[in-house]
Amino acid sequence: MIRKFKTDDLEQVMELWLATNISAHDFIPTKYWQDNYALVKEMLPQAEIWVYEAGNELLGFIGLQADHIAGIFVASKAQGKGIGSKLLAKVKQEREQLSLAVYAKNERALKFYRRADFAVVNEQLDEATSQVEYQMEWKAR
């Protein structure tokens, strides 16, 4: 089930955020994610967040700031089962366009977004991580 984020979800969402970032970005030191944990935890409730829940377990979430996707996170045990696609479809229903940034080395995410009709519109260096990232956009047809 996809539903709006509730304050009670914060701990599960943050655990998922940290674990998924460490797993998906093995080219960035773990310490970077750990050092940003408190800031993200403070800012996250200000974003628009949709969570995917099965039973009492939170298996994924998508975070938005206006029309910008801050991230899609799916528990490792639940990846490849369509949860990310369902979360993305949910926000596409409510938006005319979406943007996001993805690290060039995160090939799995790049393929996912390309399959979802996102196109690379710019390339830049993320100064915080010294990694190349792509700006991607999607527009409703």
Side-chain angles (χ1 to χ4, degrees):
M1 163 176 90
I2 295 176
R3 63 168 174 77
K4 280 263 195 194
F5 169 86
K6 297 183 289 197
T7 311
D8 292 351
D9 299 325
L10 187 58
E11 291 305 319
Q12 280 188 82
V13 163
M14 287 307 301
E15 286 175 24
L16 190 54
W17 176 87
L18 183 60
T20 305
N21 273 316
I22 291 169
S23 171
H25 305 111
D26 59 357
F27 47 89
I28 296 173
T30 298
K31 186 172 177 359
Y32 172 79
W33 305 111
Q34 294 166 334
D35 289 349
N36 282 283
Y37 184 92
L39 177 63
V40 171
K41 187 174 183 178
E42 182 181 318
M43 294 176 62
L44 197 127
Q46 298 165 26
E48 177 184 346
I49 300 168
W50 293 91
V51 301
Y52 185 97
E53 187 178 53
N56 286 334
E57 192 173 11
L58 200 145
L59 295 176
F61 74 94
I62 186 169
L64 296 150
Q65 295 165 316
D67 290 339
H68 183 78
I69 297 173
I72 299 176
F73 303 87
V74 177
S76 59
K77 68 179 182 182
Q79 289 178 4
K81 297 181 179 173
I83 293 171
S85 296
K86 289 175 184 171
L87 288 164
L88 187 55
K90 172 67 178 164
V91 298
K92 279 182 166 183
Q93 289 174 355
E94 302 181 7
R95 301 290 200 286
E96 290 295 313
Q97 61 184 28
L98 292 164
S99 66
L100 58 90
V102 62
Y103 290 112
K105 289 183 180 175
N106 189 348
E107 294 176 17
R108 186 173 184 176
L110 260 174
K111 287 177 187 172
F112 171 79
Y113 290 121
R114 283 190 170 123
R115 280 194 313 267
D117 296 324
F118 279 78
V120 174
V121 294
N122 192 23
E123 181 180 315
Q124 64 194 33
L125 187 69
D126 177 11
E127 292 183 17
T129 61
S130 299
Q131 293 292 320
V132 172
E133 65 180 2
Y134 297 132
Q135 295 295 320
M136 299 184 83
E137 290 182 356
W138 166 85
K139 291 187 173 141
R141 297 177 187 193

